[in-house]
């Protein structure tokens, strides 16, 4: 079926498949000047990039990129580059006492998401995302970046105020994941200055570095010649913005003579480096193999072709790793390969896997064996055709949405151009290049990249274990074994499995529409199908290559007796491994090659849901998967169930080792009365799981279409979509008798009770390094009547409390890095008449020594808000943040999907979606109009216990003191202490590739 033929005229004009191929000269240069942007340099050396972009409307994404990072620090400056980044938001020539943060929040640019910064070994980047619907706002935002460039005030008072926040950020890196990242970095960079210049720095420097040292670093390196300002947003022309940049930056001068940024050499090593990391808090056993090499040039079409071939190699390798993880007795639970630029002159291929405890050697052998297999036999043309289709679908999606790219994405592209000279050639030319080059890249071209993954050059092999079971000699023996097998050519070719042609082998008879309603106020159409399923779709033009949908039905895990809960809660996990869509995951992966479609399921307390994100051209495939979900009878298979149970046991063991999981479990136990629904799963629970019961329950959850409402939002062309909806959703057979058909008002509420009095507890857990986390929790009970406004009030108040806690504990007292306030309102069944129960919790980490004091300070601040009320400035800031988020959300499919779902699930819904949405929006607007210091104070007294100190829980995670700790520290020699410090890694290595990109910088 040619889905392109049914596209709307708008997409048809842009469609990728009509894009002309280009005649390419492999030696053609890609060009140094970035495409599609006003690009230049001021007389003082500052580079600028300015581009008009209307996504999202009336917003601008800005950045100041500085080629200064932690590698430039001297020994007594370790951590200073990051401290400068913090101080920039604290005080400059024109702003003091975090006034920059307060101003940006007052215009709706929230602290964190819309104003942030990062420091890496090689650079520092300041980012803003601001509204520009008032003429002066863009000018003010640019002026703030200009302040950062040369006017950061570094006084002793400023530094002392910020030390606590930086120290808390440092402490946050001293968990298992942080130790993994630090040790990995030091091992990879051994013998270079980079190894000793982690961006977070040293604790002793953070605690004691004088302001003069920080100021000296700032004035020495922050030279305008090393900076670029980037502005991308919804403004009418670039010239006006360039003029603003000139107005704010041309008068700036650097405080010292310009210094060339030095290049620090990174010597190669032929011998393989081996390490066995033992981390008692590790989330499991893992293997990491890294192959270091110089960064490739990307200057010509040939370089671009090589980059494509490399990407195809990694995709093909990951396809194999995934299939290996789903075989009988798999060598690992998950495994992936990626390429990452470590620092400016160096990149690495990084393979990482997570495996069962004591399974690291088997995992390592399998990973090395697969690389050797590719070297000996290569990838098949079929494997490469699948990968080619996958990459082609990605560039097709980017091309179709080339006029809908987010301003933040374009900003990030220009940052990389400035910092790393990555060419910016424009999506149209890039799409033409890929469409031309991809068919020319053969399996042999891709397979040769395995030659770069030899253990004889720049290779680092590490295993991570919670308890030591392997030695470096064991690792050497595995490498020698694979080398010998490869030399003797005793490795068999890859065995491909059969892949069916069609997802749905026999097309169902289409259903028909029995009732249709239009909701013009939200431009949505509601259909009732002949099998009873209700479908609502909304056509949007926000993204040309996106359709989202979610289906939900009332009745979930809360309906089960306690004896069935554990088994049935595992239903989705077990069914996913077996194949909930009728095919094993490894087979389905190949069947979906070249298609952009993801479908998933969730079994919740009160609802069962399925959700999808797909391309309009793949809507048929997405709906076929939903049809398969409802018509597949999942049966437990011994191999798949054993794998799921093994993974679950490893996860439970990891949770029991992790102090933060132990803490979170105790918080639930205190707050929810040890209810079985919130109780953590133990190994003993896993052994009671009945896989047959789990699968039977999962099957019953997705059997009866008449109980489901499906909401579809995105670039929906009704002429194409309706026949598919009728065939695959309308064609789902309705069972003779209703299955799990519940009235929302009759559902069982979750069995829990919140403590009726004040409860404070310290949870002490063994830790490698001292960590401390705090959770304050207050019960919430909303009574029926003005429920719509009350629910909106909870959202406003949670943001108010979060903002004030950050201002109070960070900006005033300087004792935390950040704070988070979360809301849980799922305590009661989703009845249209009953009260709503839940809680509001305040979370932050801090120095263990002052944790109780900070709990008291936080409580005092909330009581003060209850007794005195917030200021008008506080209210204006919260209203502005909410309004800006609302405006941005209205331009997103996800926002509309959630909004329409809330309309159906709202307690005011009585069969009329339009009326429900109208009541909710009117409630939001009434609350906005009425919100004042006085009404906010009243809501704080009404919604929270008043005074809040009368009823709350405060749980603090603290390190468990060991009487042997001091003695051990005396007995460990300096040499062995170094070895111990080098052997601390934690976390599933499946996440290490993601995590590896995080250790390099420290965000504010």
């Amino acid at each position: 079926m040619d889905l392109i033929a049914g596209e709307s005229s708008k997409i048809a004009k842009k469609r990728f498949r009509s894009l002309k191929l280009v005649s390419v000269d492999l030696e053609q240069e890609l060009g140094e000047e970035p495409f599609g942007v006003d690009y230049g340099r001021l007389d003082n050396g500052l580079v600028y990039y300015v581009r008009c972009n209307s996504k999202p409307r009336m917003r601008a994404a800005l950045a100041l990129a500085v080629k200064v990072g932690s590698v430039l620090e001297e020994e007594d400056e370790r951590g200073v580059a990051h401290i400068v980044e913090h101080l920039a938001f604290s005080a400059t020539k024109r702003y003091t006492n975090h006034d920059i943060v307060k101003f940006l929040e007052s215009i709706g640019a929230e602290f964190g998401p819309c104003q942030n910064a990062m420091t890496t070994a090689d650079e520092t980047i300041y980012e803003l995302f601001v509204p520009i619907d008032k003429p002066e706002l863009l000018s003010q935002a640019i002026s703030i970046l200009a302040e950062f460039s040369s006017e950061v005030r570094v006084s002793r008072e400023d530094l002392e105020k910020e030390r606590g926040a930086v120290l808390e950020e440092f402490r946050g890196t001293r968990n298992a994941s942080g130790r993994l990242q630090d040790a990995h970095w030091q091992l990879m960079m051994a013998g270079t200055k980079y190894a000793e210049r982690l961006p977070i720095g040293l604790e002793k420097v953070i605690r004691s570095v004088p302001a003069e040292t920080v100021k000296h670093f700032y004035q020495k390196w922050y030279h305008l010649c090393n900076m670029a300002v980037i502005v991308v947003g919804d403004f009418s022309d670039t010239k006006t913005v360039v003029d603003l940049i000139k107005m704010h930056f041309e008068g700036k001068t650097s405080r010292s003579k310009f210094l060339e940024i030095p290049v620090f050499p990174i010597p190669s090593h032929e011998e393989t480096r081996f390490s066995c990391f033992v981390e008692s808090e590790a989330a499991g056993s893992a293997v990491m193999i890294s192959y270091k090499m110089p960064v490739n040039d990307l200057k010509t079409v040939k370089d671009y072709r090589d980059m494509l071939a490399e990407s195809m190699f990694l995709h093909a390798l990951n396809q194999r790793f995934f299939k290996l993880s789903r075989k009988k007795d798999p060598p690992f639970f998950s495994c992936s390969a990626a390429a990452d630029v470590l620092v400016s002159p160096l990149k690495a291929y990084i393979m990482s896997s997570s495996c069962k405890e004591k399974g690291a050697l088997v995992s390592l052998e399998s990973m090395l064996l697969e690389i050797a297999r590719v070297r000996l036999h290569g990838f098949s043309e079929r494997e490469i055709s699948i990968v080619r289709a996958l990459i082609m679908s990605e560039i097709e999606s980017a091309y179709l949405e080339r006029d809908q790219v987010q301003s933040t994405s374009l900003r990030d592209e220009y940052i990389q151009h400035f910092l790393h000279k990555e060419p910016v050639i424009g999506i149209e030319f890039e799409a033409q290049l890929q469409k031309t080059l991809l068919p020319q890249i053969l399996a042999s071209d891709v397979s040769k990249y395995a030659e770069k993954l030899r253990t004889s050059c720049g290779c680092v092999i590490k295993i991570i274990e919670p308890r030591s079971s392997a030695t470096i000699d064991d690792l050497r023996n595995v490498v020698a074994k694979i080398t010998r097998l490869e030399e003797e050519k005793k490795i068999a070719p890859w065995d491909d499995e059969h892949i069916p042609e069609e997802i749905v082998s026999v097309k169902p008879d289409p259903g028909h529409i029995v009732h249709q309603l239009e909701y013009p106020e939200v431009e949505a159409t509601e259909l009732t199908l002949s099998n009873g399923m209700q479908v609502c779709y909304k056509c949007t033009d926000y993204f040309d290559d996106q359709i989202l949908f979610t289906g939900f039905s009332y009745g979930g895990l809360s309906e089960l007796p306690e004896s069935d809960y554990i088994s049935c809660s595992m239903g989705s996990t077990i069914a996913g491994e077996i194949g909930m869509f009728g095919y094993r995951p490894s087979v389905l992966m190949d069947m979906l090659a070249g298609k952009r479609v993801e479908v998933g399921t969730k079994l919740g307390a009160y609802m069962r849901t399925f959700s999808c994100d797909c391309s309009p051209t793949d809507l048929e495939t997405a709906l076929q998967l939903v049809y398969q979900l409802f018509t597949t009878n999942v049966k437990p298979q011994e191999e798949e169930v054993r794998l799921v149970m093994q993974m679950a046991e490893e996860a439970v063991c990891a949770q029991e080792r992790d102090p933060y999981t132990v803490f979170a479990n105790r918080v639930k136990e205190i707050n929810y009365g040890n209810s079985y629904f919130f109780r953590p799963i133990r190994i003993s629970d896993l052994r009671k799981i009945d896989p047959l019961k789990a699968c039977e329950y999962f099957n019953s959850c997705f059997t009866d279409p008449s109980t489901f409402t499906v909401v579809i939002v995105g670039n929906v062309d009704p002429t194409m979509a309706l026949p598919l909806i009728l065939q695959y959703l309308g064609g789902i057979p309705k069972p003779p008798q209703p299955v799990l058909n519940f009235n929302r008002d009759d559902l069982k509420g979750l069995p829990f009770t919140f403590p009726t009095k004040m409860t404070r507890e310290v949870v002490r857990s063994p830790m490698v390094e001292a960590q401390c986390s705090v959770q304050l929790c207050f019960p919430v009970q909303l009574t029926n009547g003005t429920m719509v406004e009350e629910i909106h009030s909870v959202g406003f108040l949670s943001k108010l409390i979060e903002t004030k806690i950050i201002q109070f504990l960070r900006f005033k007292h300087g004792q935390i890095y950040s704070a988070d306030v979360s809301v849980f309102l799922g305590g009661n069944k989703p009845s249209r008449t009953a009260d709503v129960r839940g809680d509001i919790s305040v979370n932050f980490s801090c120095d263990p020594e002052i944790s109780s004091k900070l709990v008291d300070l936080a409580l005092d601040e909330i009581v003060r808000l209850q007794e005195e009320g917030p200021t008008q400035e506080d209210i204006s800031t919260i209203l502005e943040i909410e309004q800006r988020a609302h405006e941005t959300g209205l331009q997103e499919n996800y926002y509309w999907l959630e909004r329409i779902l809330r309309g159906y699930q709202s307690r005011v819904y009585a069969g009329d979606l339009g009326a429900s949405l109208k009541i909710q929006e009117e409630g939001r607007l009434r609350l906005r109009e009425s919100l004042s210091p006085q009404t906010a104070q009243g809501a704080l007294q009404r919604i929270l216990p008043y005074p809040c100190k009368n009823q709350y829980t405060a749980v603090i995670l603290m390190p468990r003191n060991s009487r042997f700790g001091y003695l051990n520290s005396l007995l460990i020699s300096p040499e062995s202490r170094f070895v111990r410090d080098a052997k601390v890694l934690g976390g599933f290595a499946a996440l290490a590739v993601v995590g590896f990109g995080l250790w390099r910088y420290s965000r504010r």
Side-chain angles (χ1 to χ4, degrees), residues 48 62 81 165 191 301 307 338 362 416 430 437 446 507 510 712 746 757 805 893 895 922-923 935 951:
Y48 62 82
L62 303 89
V301 172
M307 183 189 72
V362 173
Q416 294 307 309
E430 191 164 1
L437 294 173
V446 176
K507 300 291 176 69
I712 307 175
D746 299 329
K757 296 181 180 179
I805 293 293
N893 289 325
Y895 187 85
E922 287 174 347
T935 59
Q951 188 184 11

Side-chain angles (χ1 to χ4, degrees), residues 8-19:
S8 67
S9 59
K10 180 176 180 182
I11 297 182
K13 289 188 291 184
K14 301 183 183 180
R15 63 191 180 194
F16 179 76
R17 297 179 195 183
S18 65
L19 191 64

Side-chain angles (χ1 to χ4, degrees), residues 123 336 709 740 803 818 860 943 956 1002:
E123 63 244 5
S336 63
T709 296
L740 299 186
T803 302
S818 186
D860 288 343
I943 292 174
I956 305 174
S1002 184

Side-chain angles (χ1 to χ4, degrees), residues 66-73 81 119-124 217:
V66 188
K67 294 180 180 178
V68 174
S70 58
V71 76
L72 298 177
E73 297 165 348
T119 303
T120 77
D122 290 318
E123 63 244 5
T124 304
F217 180 89

Side-chain angles (χ1 to χ4, degrees), residues 104-121:
L104 290 170
E105 288 205 320
S106 75
I107 65 171
E110 188 177 357
F111 181 65
C114 301
Q115 41 172 315
N116 216 324
M118 65 181 78
T119 303
T120 77

Side-chain angles (χ1 to χ4, degrees), residues 414-703:
Y414 298 130
I415 289 173
Q416 294 307 309
H417 178 270
F418 173 70
L419 295 174
H420 304 297
K421 299 181 180 179
E422 290 186 9
V424 178
I425 59 178
I427 188 60
E428 292 90 345
F429 182 51
E430 191 164 1
Q432 286 181 303
L433 270 184
Q434 290 202 24
K435 190 173 181 182
T436 302
L437 294 173
L438 280 170
Q440 300 174 12
I441 300 175
L442 307 178
S444 56
D445 299 323
V446 176
S447 302
K448 71 180 182 181
Y449 278 85
E451 290 295 333
K452 295 188 175 186
L453 275 63
R454 288 193 177 273
T455 57
S456 57
C457 186
C459 181
V460 178
I461 296 177
K462 304 173 294 298
I463 64 169
I464 304 127
E465 297 182 296
R467 287 177 287 270
S468 179
S469 69
T471 66
I472 286 178
D473 284 342
D474 293 330
L475 305 186
R476 293 184 192 278
N477 291 337
V478 171
V479 172
K481 176 183 177 180
I482 301 302
T483 301
R484 185 173 64 255
L485 289 174
E486 184 177 0
E487 289 173 348
E488 296 172 357
K489 298 186 177 180
K490 291 184 177 179
I491 301 173
W494 177 260
D495 184 20
D496 269 335
E497 52 190 332
H498 172 69
I499 306 300
E501 292 292 327
E502 298 288 340
I503 293 174
V504 178
S505 55
V506 179
K507 300 291 176 69
D509 294 331
H512 58 274
I513 300 169
V514 297
H515 192 245
Q516 179 168 335
L517 282 173
E518 301 293 333
Y519 297 108
E521 60 274 22
V522 290
E523 299 177 321
T525 300
E526 181 183 276
L527 311 173
T528 302
L529 307 184
S530 50
N531 60 4
M533 181 177 278
Q534 188 171 248
V535 178
C536 176
Y537 66 86
K538 174 179 171 62
C539 308
T540 73
D541 58 2
Y542 308 135
F543 294 101
D544 282 351
D545 197 48
Q546 184 180 68
I547 291 178
L548 307 173
F549 62 78
T550 293
F552 74 92
S553 177
Y554 287 111
L557 296 170
S558 75
E559 298 301 308
L560 298 170
E562 183 175 353
S563 58
D564 291 345
Y565 171 74
I566 293 293
S567 291
C568 295
S569 67
M570 290 289 290
S572 193
T573 304
I574 294 174
E577 288 299 320
I578 295 171
M580 64 177 68
F581 304 110
Y583 304 94
R584 290 187 295 110
S586 58
V587 173
L588 187 64
M589 177 181 68
D590 283 355
M591 295 177 72
L592 297 180
K595 299 180 184 294
R596 199 182 70 73
V597 54
E598 295 180 22
V599 179
T601 63
K602 180 181 178 181
L603 305 182
Y606 303 119
M607 284 185 280
R608 302 101 63 197
T609 60
F610 60 84
S611 299
C612 175
D613 181 345
C614 68
S615 168
T617 57
D618 297 319
L619 179 61
E620 179 173 19
T621 301
L623 295 176
Q624 286 179 335
L625 291 174
V626 175
Y627 176 81
Q628 288 290 106
L629 174 67
F630 276 79
T631 56
T632 296
N633 183 29
V634 180
K635 296 180 180 179
Q637 305 294 322
E638 183 179 350
E639 290 179 16
E640 285 84 355
V641 170
R642 186 168 61 249
L643 175 61
V644 171
M645 291 298 102
Q646 192 175 52
M647 292 173 67
E649 284 196 21
E650 291 286 335
V652 169
C653 290
Q655 290 174 358
E656 292 174 350
R657 289 190 296 268
D658 177 32
Y660 285 95
T661 304
V662 172
F663 169 67
N665 289 340
R666 181 56 184 155
V667 168
K668 290 178 185 177
E669 188 176 2
I670 291 172
N671 289 346
Y672 306 130
N674 200 26
S675 166
Y676 71 85
F677 194 86
F678 298 99
R679 192 182 304 149
I681 295 178
R682 308 293 185 192
I683 295 292
S684 57
D685 296 322
L686 292 177
R687 290 167 184 157
K688 299 175 186 175
I689 288 176
D690 181 345
L692 179 61
K693 182 176 291 184
C695 290
E696 288 176 345
Y697 177 71
F698 180 84
N699 291 332
S700 66
C701 285
F702 301 99
T703 293

Side-chain angles (χ1 to χ4, degrees), residues 41 67-68 71-72 220-223 225-226 256-264 421:
R41 184 184 290 270
K67 294 180 180 178
V68 174
V71 76
L72 298 177
K220 178 180 179 180
W221 293 113
Y222 267 58
H223 199 287
C225 291
N226 295 326
S256 61
K257 182 180 178 182
F258 172 68
L259 294 175
E260 288 283 348
I261 301 294
V263 176
F264 298 94
K421 299 181 180 179

